[in-house]
Amino acid sequence: MQQHYAMMRDQAPQSASDFCDPQTNTLRRAWFFKPQAIGKVPIFAVFVLLSFFFAPLPPTQADAATDFPEVMIILDGSGSMWGTAGEKSKIKAAQEVLHQLIPFLPPEVKIGLTVYGHRRKGSCDDIEIMLPAGSDNRSLLLKFVDGINPKGKTPIADSIKTVVSTLKNNENETTIILVSDGEETCSPDPCGVVRELKTTGIRFILQVVGFDVNQKQKEELACLATAGGGRYFDAADAAGLLAALKTVEQEVVAKVEFEKAKTTVKKKKSGLGKLRVTFPSGSEKSLAHIRIIRKQDGKTIKNVDNPSAESIHPLLSGAYDIVLGYANSNNQKPSEIEPLPISIAAEETTDLKLGSLMFNVAEAFDRLPASSVTLRRDDGRVVLETPENGNNYYFFTSKPLPPGCYSFTYFYKTLKAPVIAATGIVINPDAESVLTLDSGIKIKKHDQNMTGFDLISLISGRPVLQVQRRWDNDYPLWESFALPPGNYALHVYLKGMEEPLPAVDEIIVHKGELLEIDTGL
């Protein structure tokens, strides 16, 4: 099932706005713990960082900017960038996309710009670091971007080598994002150059976006990404470039959450401290319990049933895991999420700040054909699964959650894979977020013996919904299925036919619309 989800996740967004980004409620800061002194000024801070797209919390003086990678954009300024991609020139498209991204990055993010081929024709030395990776001058960066006048060749390998050479003394990991519309025109073995650079021990990752490239160019650029420890992304036009760069954001946040989330203690004390757990009022009924587990021996030292929106727990100083348990229907055992690590220090209060997810569900989807619904991180990892247990009451009950970016999926035993109903759900600390399910499809009932159907995304060519009837009745063929807005095609399966029948070539689902599809059968 996880593999099915990963395949569907890659193609689920129907437009660039479906990604979790600064223009669509971007998660700028994730849940964190901020100790406060009891009766005196604080002497240490504990941060658990689960940030989005290079977005760190404000560092302490001792920790200043040591936990997150810096960023360097290498932008193609060769003459071919005057070519068109979609309705505008590639250089114009790149300039517009960067204007949509750069201003919305939080001020803590340090980002630089390198350009090649923008000053002289026919020169393999035309490489310029306009701003170093540690720069925070966004307006100057965009001014440089707007001033690029494509002219020359494509010295990709030397550009990467030039950038990496400036990172020798950099303790942070630098994410290099190469945007190019063609293959190397100066170095005979650009992949070899990148492989050699990775053996130097200098900390960098190379992400590559191929902008309107052919198959040969794509293979070379993909080789660079693989050699640089990153990924390759295709972009055919401005919208594709925007989507690709936002996907890079997702890669970075996954790495931050996995590798950088940690608790840092500046000074250790003996004695008691306190844990304060807070979340927006109104979502208490979904939270069945809070378990506090001592890391040292894995023992549950406190279990809080039906916790209120604010609770305080005295604890000995040390490391703990906090486990949230969520209520299920018909008195079934609560569903627990992965432990949230914290540290408690003497005479100080550590805050665990949760957000809250509220549901706005159209009446047509109240009885969603599902045996379970799931909230996942954007990398596909399951955070919380809520089973039906004969009653779907808790499917759409407000839930306290750790801040982060989520997707919402549902599953029934006759579906071939989970259905992604929504992505880019942003949960912020001590704040309410709303998930609206108001778009989807329903097949109009007909007399043919239909055994199932597939709904295919016209963007990716992959199925987003694969439904089969039960063995004993035709459920859930005629039910309403929640889906993101987008363009789809419908293939149906009829009894006695070995191949699916393309019933409808193009279906457009709009936001706020339940589309009833007449197959004509």
Side-chain angles (χ1 to χ4, degrees):
M1 185 178 296
Q2 188 73 4
Q3 292 177 342
H4 282 296
Y5 178 85
M7 177 189 74
M8 296 171 68
R9 183 191 70 236
D10 291 341
Q11 51 79 40
Q14 298 288 314
S15 68
S17 63
D18 288 334
F19 289 95
C20 204
D21 67 47
Q23 292 172 299
T24 56
N25 242 348
T26 301
L27 173 65
R28 291 192 182 277
R29 293 192 172 106
W31 65 274
F32 61 93
F33 307 96
K34 184 179 181 182
Q36 296 177 348
I38 301 174
K40 59 176 71 178
V41 177
I43 62 172
F44 85 103
V46 182
F47 293 88
V48 177
L49 303 173
L50 298 175
S51 63
F52 184 70
F53 191 39
F54 329 114
L57 291 168
T60 65
Q61 289 182 350
D63 285 329
T66 59
D67 288 337
F68 290 89
E70 295 178 346
V71 183
M72 172 63 82
I73 297 174
I74 300 179
L75 185 58
D76 191 339
S78 65
S80 59
M81 287 290 284
W82 284 119
T84 58
E87 299 178 355
K88 58 190 70 175
S89 70
K90 286 178 271 190
I91 186 61
K92 182 66 174 176
Q95 291 166 340
E96 291 179 359
V97 165
L98 290 176
H99 271 275
Q100 293 180 62
L101 291 173
I102 300 301
F104 298 98
L105 296 175
E108 295 86 357
V109 176
K110 307 303 180 184
I111 184 168
L113 175 68
T114 297
V115 184
Y116 60 76
H118 61 300
R119 295 176 296 186
R120 298 182 297 276
K121 292 184 178 181
S123 173
C124 288
D125 298 321
D126 188 8
I127 301 166
E128 182 180 7
I129 296 180
M130 292 184 155
L131 281 177
S135 173
D136 58 5
N137 194 333
R138 307 295 172 73
S139 59
L140 182 59
L141 187 149
L142 291 175
K143 181 178 179 181
F144 286 149
V145 167
D146 290 341
I148 295 173
N149 183 22
K151 287 185 175 68
K153 304 188 77 171
T154 309
I156 294 175
D158 284 346
S159 297
I160 298 171
K161 187 186 298 184
T162 299
V163 168
V164 173
S165 69
T166 68
L167 309 176
K168 294 178 180 178
N169 299 319
N170 196 341
E171 294 181 358
N172 296 340
E173 182 180 79
T174 300
T175 298
I176 301 173
I177 305 171
L178 168 66
V179 179
S180 178
D181 76 333
E183 73 272 20
E184 169 74 51
T185 58
C186 293
S187 172
D189 184 17
C191 273
V193 171
V194 176
R195 290 191 195 99
E196 184 177 351
L197 290 172
K198 288 295 284 185
T199 66
T200 63
I202 300 174
R203 300 185 64 199
F204 76 94
I205 288 179
L206 178 63
Q207 308 280 19
V208 181
V209 181
F211 193 16
D212 189 34
V213 298
N214 59 36
Q215 184 61 33
K216 179 182 176 183
Q217 295 165 340
K218 175 181 177 179
E219 291 174 359
E220 179 177 288
L221 293 173
C223 179
L224 290 172
T226 300
R231 293 181 59 192
Y232 171 80
F233 305 89
D234 247 332
D237 52 18
L241 180 60
L242 180 63
L245 291 177
K246 289 184 181 299
T247 304
V248 175
E249 295 176 3
Q250 300 294 331
E251 294 290 313
V252 173
V253 73
K255 183 175 180 62
V256 169
E257 289 182 334
F258 183 74
E259 297 184 5
K260 303 295 184 182
K262 60 186 179 181
T263 302
T264 303
V265 178
K266 297 305 174 189
K267 184 176 180 180
K268 185 177 180 180
K269 293 182 177 181
S270 60
L272 291 176
K274 293 182 179 180
L275 167 66
R276 178 165 50 209
V277 182
T278 58
F279 53 85
S281 179
S283 54
E284 296 93 335
K285 56 188 171 184
S286 285
L287 194 58
H289 65 246
I290 298 174
R291 285 200 300 127
I292 303 175
I293 302 170
R294 187 167 52 212
K295 268 188 178 292
Q296 182 179 6
D297 56 9
K299 182 179 180 180
T300 297
I301 63 169
K302 188 173 184 180
N303 193 84
V304 184
D305 291 325
N306 304 312
S308 61
E310 179 176 353
S311 58
I312 297 179
H313 314 280
L315 297 168
L316 285 171
S317 58
Y320 297 86
D321 282 332
I322 308 303
V323 175
L324 308 179
Y326 294 82
N328 287 319
S329 298
N330 296 329
N331 297 316
Q332 295 298 306
K333 183 180 178 180
S335 298
E336 292 190 337
I337 67 171
E338 291 185 355
L340 308 175
I342 66 162
S343 286
I344 300 296
E347 302 182 28
E348 298 188 359
T349 297
T350 296
D351 282 309
L352 171 54
K353 297 185 177 184
L354 306 174
S356 178
L357 179 61
M358 304 175 66
F359 293 86
N360 176 29
V361 182
E363 184 177 355
F365 304 117
D366 279 345
R367 299 300 303 176
L368 199 66
S371 54
S372 65
V373 298
T374 303
L375 287 163
R376 303 171 184 260
R377 291 291 188 186
D378 279 356
D379 61 3
R381 289 182 295 124
V382 172
V383 175
L384 173 64
E385 182 172 5
T386 304
E388 182 196 30
N389 294 325
N391 184 341
N392 74 349
Y393 173 78
Y394 285 106
F395 277 8
F396 305 124
T397 305
S398 298
K399 293 174 172 59
L401 291 168
C405 288
Y406 295 84
S407 63
F408 178 83
T409 70
Y410 60 95
F411 183 72
Y412 184 69
K413 61 185 178 182
T414 66
L415 303 181
K416 292 186 177 180
V419 181
I420 301 176
T423 59
I425 304 166
V426 178
I427 304 297
N428 287 307
D430 284 339
E432 294 179 342
S433 300
V434 178
L435 168 58
T436 296
L437 296 178
D438 61 357
S439 62
I441 62 107
K442 179 179 182 179
I443 306 296
K444 184 177 180 180
K445 194 169 184 178
H446 51 73
D447 296 332
Q448 294 294 322
N449 192 349
M450 187 170 75
T451 60
F453 65 86
D454 293 345
L455 197 68
I456 313 296
S457 167
L458 294 182
I459 302 297
S460 68
R462 296 173 178 169
V464 299
L465 174 64
Q466 295 177 283
V467 180
Q468 294 177 324
R469 58 166 286 166
R470 287 168 53 110
W471 69 270
D472 55 345
N473 60 52
D474 59 7
Y475 186 85
L477 294 180
W478 319 119
E479 300 300 311
S480 299
F481 293 88
L483 291 166
N487 293 18
Y488 305 97
L490 177 68
H491 295 176
V492 301
Y493 294 85
L494 301 180
K495 187 174 181 179
M497 295 184 67
E498 295 183 358
E499 296 181 354
L501 185 66
V504 185
D505 291 336
E506 184 173 13
I507 299 164
I508 302 177
V509 177
H510 298 284
K511 181 172 175 55
E513 174 184 79
L514 172 63
L515 182 64
E516 185 176 52
I517 303 172
D518 187 347
T519 61
L521 296 173

